[in-house]
DNA sequence: TCTTTTATAGCACACTCCTGCTACATCGTG
DNA sequence: CACGATGTAGCAGGAGTGTGCTATAAAAGA
């Protein structure tokens, strides 16, 4: 067996196996044996990259957060220049902003998968302090992102004048979380597409 | 040892033990042994009331749903006559409606406990079809409750005329779910009191 | 008093789990 | 060639799990 293996890639493969298991069987079914079966590796091999089972979960969560937040930042960096340039019509700018926030909704397979796993880890982190701090920063981050987005809209003068931006930030963050929760865990009751319509309508309601 | 034991009460005690364990250590720590320690009963005694471990979890969920929904109905039956009577001012009626919907937020110890356990079961139900159907009806129920509440407000003429009530029902349901999620799992980021303020403001925004 | 029902209690078995070790193969390097 | 580093593999132990089964205690009815 070869020696030239990229350890970072191996860890990612293992993290993906964790995601698959969480997705199809739930967090409680994640075990070294399940990961071994999922990846085709032997338990001993996995333990070569992670000394403890706890470490695997921890790493998987960090991987998840990193993927989501980096994709979000990517979209943000594509959005901001377009908005600042001033070449967009008001309607276009609003639609772009809505699309950006909709990035957090489970609108395709990738995001649905991430949403499911995210929720599973979020619940798990409640009683596992080791994981909790990762979410702490993340949840505050989305809250801050909402505030920034609203401030940006406000500077462009597209918001009603009577709005409490801090309040609207909490509201928007909660709405998106709720839309994600419902369309992820109960897609029959609220389809992801419907969730996006609701989000767009909410933003529309903030317009001045 | 006596024979006169109320079996229904025993089952409730066991269900409460399940809630306590979920609350303090997470769903994965629920086991016959843990329940036995929590209740002071022997495993054999518990198994006298529940043949299977799965059945305990199932019963606990049904107990939870029953408690929450019955308390909600209770409040609804107290609210409706007051609204229909027409003796309330518009502001009072709005405040009462907001209070009613806020019943779903973790504003006191009891509701916080229920919210935490609810979320834990909701996540668990995703991969456990046995539990899923219980939520199916429940989630549709809250959605329907939002629609009913909005229709009621609309009949009283306190809503803006341009609203899509079905859309607002989805929006309201998602907002409440999101507020509950955040103020339950991340109370440092969104306090329950703040969640109620956000909810009230949202309802205020629907006013015509 | 004898029998039946209800309740409590716990043993034993077959699982699954993580982890400390050890064994072995492969490759790069001295 | 030989040696150390890297990767793969798996055994064995101790802990934890649900469940079938049996044993015993107490109350109720004959």
């Amino acid at each position: 067996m070869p020696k030239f293996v990229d350890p970072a890639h191996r860890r990612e493969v293992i993290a993906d196996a964790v995601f698959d298991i969480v997705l199809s069987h739930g967090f409680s079914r994640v075990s070294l044996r399940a990961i071994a079966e999922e990846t085709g590796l032997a338990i001993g091999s996995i333990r070569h990259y992670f000394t403890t089972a706890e470490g695997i979960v921890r790493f998987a969560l960090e991987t998840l957060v990193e993927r989501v937040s980096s994709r979000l930042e990517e979209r943000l960096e594509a959005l901001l220049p377009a908005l600042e340039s001033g070449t967009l019509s008001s309607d276009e700018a609003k639609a772009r902003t809505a699309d950006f926030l909709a990035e957090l909704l489970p609108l395709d397979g990738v995001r649905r998968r991430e949403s499911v796993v995210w929720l599973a880890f979020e619940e798990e982190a409640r009683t596992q302090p080791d994981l909790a701090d990762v979410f702490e920063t993340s949840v505050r981050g989305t809250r801050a992102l909402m505030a920034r987005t609203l401030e940006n809209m406000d500077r462009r003068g597209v918001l009603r004048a009577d709005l409490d931006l801090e309040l609207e930030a909490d509201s928007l963050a909660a709405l998106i979380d709720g839309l994600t929760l419902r369309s992820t865990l109960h897609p029959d009751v609220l389809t992801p597409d419907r969730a996006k319509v609701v989000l767009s309508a909410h933003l529309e309601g903030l317009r001045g």
Side-chain angles (χ1 to χ4, degrees), chain A residues 59-95:
Chain A
F59 175 79
L61 174 57
E62 286 169 353
T63 300
L64 177 69
V65 169
E66 206 278 336
R67 286 186 192 174
V68 173
S69 60
S70 76
R71 202 186 55 227
L72 207 61
E73 270 183 44
E74 196 176 289
R75 303 271 173 162
L76 183 61
E77 284 171 17
L79 174 70
L80 282 183
L83 289 183
E84 303 292 344
S85 71
T87 57
L88 295 177
S89 74
S90 176
D91 280 348
E92 276 174 339
K94 187 174 64 70

Side-chain angles (χ1 to χ4, degrees), chain A residues 126-145:
Chain A
R126 180 178 59 85
T127 50
Q128 204 163 324
D130 181 33
L131 306 178
D133 55 351
V134 179
F135 275 100
E136 176 75 12
T137 55
S138 227
V139 171
R140 286 190 193 281
T142 47
R143 163 66 173 75
L145 186 62

Side-chain angles (χ1 to χ4, degrees), chain A residues 102-156:
Chain A
E103 186 65 34
L104 289 163
L105 300 178
L107 290 171
D108 59 24
V110 174
R111 280 176 286 176
R112 164 161 169 74
R113 180 182 139 105
E114 285 175 350
S115 295
V116 171
V117 178
W118 182 281
L119 285 170
F121 271 89
E122 196 168 12
E123 161 59 27
E124 196 65 21
R126 180 178 59 85
T127 50
Q128 204 163 324
D130 181 33
L131 306 178
D133 55 351
V134 179
F135 275 100
E136 176 75 12
T137 55
S138 227
V139 171
R140 286 190 193 281
T142 47
R143 163 66 173 75
L145 186 62
M146 300 302 132
R148 275 176 61 191
T149 305
L150 288 173
E151 283 162 18
N152 188 293
M153 293 173 75
D154 189 44
R155 272 198 305 274
R156 302 186 66 252

